[in-house]
């Protein structure tokens, strides 16, 4: 298992031009003059101080660079394709992502498809929607500068997109997509609105808790002949556990402070930013499971609903229907951890203890068979502090949508394969289990 | 910061042949048939089951390999040179280390000097003893299989040797030395005698505690223009802190169990093995400080003393005078952390709390100015449980040796530069501070 290269600290962004200069100076002389940096960001982030710092640094180094500032928030097949077309036609040789997961994931896709100029969008997307071809070429250098404390995409080999025409959100997963360098700079989250910071923080919370409770690496099937062939999402393991648990503790401690003071509480912002990268390393190696599997149809189906039933999250662009990824993940999480608790009572007990803090002593009286219910309550209590919608009904889902949500979840094998307890070999039983989880997630 | 690639689990060693086959298959066709694996181990480890597993695996893959089983325990310039001569003359293309830090460090040296066939031993050794030339070539692949839970050398870019003729222990430090892959296999520590396991575990303890209390990365001088140019030992930082603190907690919890049952307590062995790698990642990025700086003269001077004054540690070869590295590190540690406590009372308080466990509540009544003394007592109490010699006098040092130990410590700049409080710019004051530490380490 490898962690990404990370540079951290306030002001770490200032040297990004020099990083590219260093990379370019290592090219054969003939290629150096052709080097061109493509900066990928979204229209919002493009106007923030971070982009000024980035541009200043690129100018200072006298580099050749262009900006693509049309990354869509929660990108789609269309927005990816536009970014890819831009990168291909601009002959980008070095990639820079500045933004949240949306911009970072778009830059990963642009990098991939520029290095596979003949491939269409579905070539690498996870089966069954895409053809899931493995990435064998070495991609171009990519530096990722996160501006949210959320996805950890600066550390992962994952890129997520929504395909609204198929009501299907999925992605591409390969170690080849990992950024060359992540620049984790506290100054860059100072402008995040409260709602964005909370949604991003919820993503960190469940990256941590899902990877910490994922099927252990040595029980995951199919088992490769040589451990070196384990997939990136290899199941929970002793090293990802260190990251995941640290990120879990840190998020539970600091996210409520973000909710009270999203921009001014520098210590809380610093800890959440580090937790985001740390959870990224944890889940990027161990994987996530059911809450993420459900988040994809939850987010995607919202866009296809009649206008009057579409959900819009506060502080996100009012003209775009959106259940932010972190919120979508949270909606089934309480029911999921009630369901998974019997798989590893000790881990679920430790998780409950972290949520309970000073009240953890009460756990001594809780029997293993009651742990799931207790953990479910603790997660709900935590989400309430943050003002998260209390169930799927609050983002517009009705009982008649349950089957559709389950059908949208079941093909998400890459993550579902890491879910404990789930009856993966018996589709009827798996469907029943997932249905039960959605039913328990409608409202609380 | 990057963590090494690690493969872990019981039986992880079994596939090492396949790992080499994979590496070799990526070579240009012309080079494949010339590939030759050099296995570096010591005469003791050569007879253990781990070497059977390794050899079986290499044979199964039909690889071309040779064994060098003469790595010295706590290697010297002579033992390194012999290994280097062997590697150069055998045209080794791929390196495998099987053993403790002694074998892993020797394999790193053999790899380095085989790739610099014109260089003499002093070329890369840290100044002022060596010429400290930076390593610019890419070295050959090296897989490291630790058989002790100690040095973390499978994760670091460090290789340590003793130069008895100069009474100077020092090393080479460069990210280029990092093994390509570390195979961390619980089966391989099952044969460690109690004394070896404790000495190795003490090394883990102080890798953790020293890196956790090292000068913070953003206060370390000289400060490079671009953070990417920070040295491998860059000072404590938010990511190494995660590793160092986890390793500290784990070692304090499990090392006493090793002391009671060094081979049978599988859980304790598993946790200590993971702590060794984790502490390696922590200190390999943050650095260690005064206890390590003192350990080098403490170990080295012992060899130069008249025979009747030489110290021999139980369970190590009776004919070789040896203060094992982990023991040498421990001897000044209590006094050192008393000295460093004012630099970061909060960190030292947290460390004391970890040592105190159930008694940590008592710390509430301890004022910051008394923390150093309390932590010193806690470390001594912990060392007593493990049966560590109670001070330098128990390994044969007398008051008349104090000045020599201090003079042997002061040139260890690579680590001393990371020591908090130490008056690095005022040699007279630094000497006084270090003298005070040795005086306080003679006996307790
Ligand atoms: N690749 C991965 O490993 C991974 C993991 C989890 C989620 N994701 C994906 O990432 C996307 C979500 O990313 P996200 O949560 O980081 O948010 P985002 O990139 O979608 O940004 C959310 C909103 O916040 C704004 N914003 C971002 N940074 C800001 C700042 N510093 N100041 C002010 N406004 C700012 C954006 O302009 C946008 O309007 C989803 O598509 C999700 O599926 C990817
Ligand atoms: N490179 C680094 O980052 C780093 C860090 C700390 C220390 N070191 C160096 O590493 C050396 C110490 O290494 P170590 O503590 O791992 O011990 P070691 O390699 O010196 O071995 C100690 C003794 O234990 C025996 N042994 C090892 N594994 C065994 C097993 N599984 N079963 C039975 N016997 C076994 C050895 O044969 C030897 O006699 C010192 O030279 C020290 O300075 C290096
Ligand atoms: Fe996520
Ligand atoms: Fe050490």
């Amino acid at each position: 298992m490898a962690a990404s290269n990370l540079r951290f600290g306030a002001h770490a962004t200032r040297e990004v031009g020099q990083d590219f200069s260093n990379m370019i100076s290592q090219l054969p002389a003939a290629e150096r003059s052709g080097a061109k940096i493509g900066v990928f960001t979204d229209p919002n982030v493009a106007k923030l101080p971070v982009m000024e710092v980035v541009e200043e640094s690129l100018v200072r180094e006298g580099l050749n660079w262009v900006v693509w500032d049309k990354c869509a928030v929660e990108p789609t097949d269309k927005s990816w394709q536009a970014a890819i077309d831009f990168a291909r036609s601009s002959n980008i040789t070095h990639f820079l992502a500045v933004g949240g997961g949306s911009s970072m994931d778009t830059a990963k896709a642009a990098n991939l498809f520029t290095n596979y100029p003949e491939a269409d969008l579905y070539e690498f997307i996870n089966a069954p929607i895409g053809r899931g071809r493995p990435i064998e070429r070495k991609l171009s250098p990519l530096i990722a500068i996160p501006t949210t404390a959320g996805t950890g995409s600066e550390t992962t080999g994952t890129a997520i997109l929504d395909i609204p025409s198929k009501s299907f959100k999925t992605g591409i997963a390969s170690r080849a997509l990992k950024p060359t360098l992540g620049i984790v700079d506290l100054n860059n989250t100072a402008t995040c609105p409260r709602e964005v910071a909370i949604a991003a923080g919820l993503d960190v919370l469940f990256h941590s808790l899902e990877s910490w409770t994922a099927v252990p690496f040595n029980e995951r099937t199919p088992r490769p002949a040589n451990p070196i062939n384990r997939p990136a999402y290899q199941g929970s393991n002793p090293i990802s556990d260190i990251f995941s648990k640290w990120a879990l503790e840190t998020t539970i401690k600091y996210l409520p402070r973000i909710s009270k003071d999203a921009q001014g509480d520098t210590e809380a912002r610093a800890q959440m930013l580090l937790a985001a990268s740390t959870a990224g390393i944890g889940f990027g190696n161990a994987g996530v499971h059911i809450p993420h599997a459900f988040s994809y149809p939850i987010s995607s189906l919202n866009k296809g609903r009649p206008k009057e039933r579409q959900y819009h999250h506060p502080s996100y662009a009012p003209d775009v229907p959106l259940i932010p990824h972190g919120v979508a993940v949270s909606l089934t999480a309480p029911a999921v951890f009630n369901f998974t608790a019997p798989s590893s009572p000790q881990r679920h007990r430790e998780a409950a203890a972290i949520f309970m803090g000073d009240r953890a002593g009460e756990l001594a009286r809780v029997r293993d068979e009651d742990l799931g219910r207790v953990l479910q309550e603790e997660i709900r209590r935590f989400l309430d502090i943050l003002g998260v919608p209390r169930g799927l009904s609050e983002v517009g889902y009705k009982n008649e949508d349950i089957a559709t949500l389950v059908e949208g979840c079941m093909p998400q094998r890459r993550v579902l394969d890491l879910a404990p307890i789930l009856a993966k070999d018996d589709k009827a039983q798996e469907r029943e289990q997932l249905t039960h989880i959605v039913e328990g997630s409608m409202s609380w």
Side-chain angles (χ1 to χ4, degrees), chain A:
Chain A
M1 157 178 327
S4 278
N5 284 307
L6 292 178
R7 167 132 50 86
F8 44 81
H11 302 298
T13 309
R14 282 196 305 220
E15 316 294 344
V16 65
Q18 203 183 317
D19 294 323
F20 280 116
S21 288
N22 290 346
M23 286 176 180
I24 291 167
S25 70
Q26 285 161 28
L27 293 175
E31 289 173 32
R32 260 173 254 167
S33 64
K36 189 162 178 190
I37 296 154
V39 184
F40 292 78
T41 188
D42 74 34
N44 243 330
V45 174
K47 289 180 231 121
L48 297 176
V50 56
M51 273 297 284
E52 265 172 61
V53 176
V54 163
E55 297 190 356
E56 251 175 53
S57 180
L58 296 171
V59 168
R60 205 187 312 132
E61 292 290 317
L63 296 163
N64 187 3
W65 53 280
V66 278
V67 176
W68 175 260
D69 64 3
K70 301 191 182 62
C71 297
V73 175
E74 313 242 335
T76 61
D77 48 350
K78 287 219 179 69
S79 79
W80 267 25
Q81 191 62 57
I84 293 165
D85 292 344
F86 164 78
R88 283 175 172 167
S89 63
S90 314
N91 299 314
I92 302 300
T93 60
H94 291 69
F95 291 76
L96 175 61
V98 183
S102 297
S103 299
M104 291 189 278
D105 288 4
T106 304
K108 288 177 180 176
N111 184 1
L112 170 61
F113 287 98
T114 304
N115 282 280
Y116 279 91
E118 72 289 2
D120 73 67
L121 202 56
Y122 288 87
E123 189 87 16
F124 303 98
I125 289 178
N126 299 322
I129 290 287
R131 294 189 292 282
R133 170 174 165 196
I135 303 176
E136 271 149 1
R137 297 187 194 153
K138 193 168 154 44
L139 306 188
S140 305
L142 162 62
I143 298 182
I145 306 184
T147 65
T148 59
T151 69
S153 183
E154 69 281 7
T155 73
T156 71
T158 307
I160 305 287
L161 85 167
D162 190 9
I163 307 175
S165 62
K166 309 199 169 165
S167 294
F168 206 80
K169 201 173 167 183
T170 181
I172 303 180
S174 164
R175 290 190 178 90
L177 290 178
K178 279 197 190 182
T180 320
L181 176 68
I183 299 182
V184 179
D185 182 335
L186 179 59
N187 288 330
N188 298 341
T189 58
T191 48
C192 269
R194 175 175 178 276
E195 297 297 337
V196 169
I198 290 178
L202 291 168
D203 200 15
V204 181
L205 180 68
F206 293 110
H207 288 164
S208 312
L209 193 51
E210 290 173 52
S211 54
W212 164 253
T213 53
V215 169
F217 75 104
N218 51 0
E219 292 173 19
R220 183 187 178 283
T221 51
R223 201 177 295 206
N226 182 334
I228 210 92
N229 296 325
R230 288 177 193 145
Y233 280 19
Q234 61 186 258
S236 63
N237 60 70
I239 298 194
S240 66
D241 283 351
I242 297 173
F243 289 101
S244 301
K245 197 166 172 210
W246 188 88
L248 183 64
E249 291 166 343
T250 304
T251 304
I252 291 174
K253 183 160 171 198
Y254 290 101
L255 189 53
R257 282 172 50 174
I258 293 286
S259 168
K260 281 198 203 132
D261 181 2
Q263 304 185 334
D265 188 337
T266 316
E267 187 194 357
R269 274 201 300 108
Q271 293 294 316
M272 280 309 301
L273 189 56
L274 190 57
S277 294
T278 309
I281 300 173
F283 96 85
N285 287 292
V288 281
H289 57 80
I290 308 176
H292 267 76
F294 267 125
S295 78
Y296 302 129
I298 291 170
S299 282
S300 195
L301 290 166
N302 177 53
K303 296 186 190 164
R305 290 193 286 204
K307 275 225 171 332
E308 65 285 6
R309 277 189 59 203
Q310 285 174 337
Y311 178 81
H312 293 252
H313 200 67
S315 288
Y316 284 74
D319 48 326
V320 187
L322 196 78
I323 303 174
H325 171 68
V327 173
V329 171
S330 305
L331 292 168
T332 60
V336 167
F337 291 102
N338 185 8
F339 170 73
T340 58
S343 67
S344 49
Q346 184 51 32
R347 281 182 183 246
H348 288 76
R349 191 177 284 277
E350 286 179 52
I354 299 171
F355 277 105
M356 293 171 82
D358 292 345
R359 292 177 292 110
E362 300 169 19
L363 272 174
R365 289 190 305 274
V366 174
R367 295 170 310 172
D368 278 0
E369 52 269 46
D370 298 324
L371 260 180
R373 214 183 25 73
V374 170
L375 181 53
Q376 170 169 277
E377 279 317 306
E378 289 302 325
I379 298 174
R380 285 182 179 164
R381 185 197 294 250
F382 188 80
L383 297 179
D384 278 349
I385 297 173
L386 307 175
V388 177
R390 308 188 90 228
L392 289 163
S393 60
E394 291 203 10
V395 298
Y397 285 101
K398 299 196 187 308
N399 285 339
E400 68 220 44
D401 300 317
I402 293 177
T404 319
L405 286 166
V406 170
E407 293 315 311
C409 177
M410 288 184 68
Q412 307 282 353
R413 299 318 317 176
R414 204 173 53 92
V415 287
L416 285 184
D417 283 349
L418 292 163
I421 300 199
L422 199 67
K424 296 161 203 114
D425 298 329
D426 177 340
K427 288 302 134 197
Q429 201 193 334
E430 183 181 79
R431 181 171 291 111
E432 205 173 292
Q433 292 170 320
L434 293 173
T435 302
H436 192 73
I437 287 170
V438 186
E439 286 168 353
S441 305
M442 292 308 289
S443 65
W444 57 79

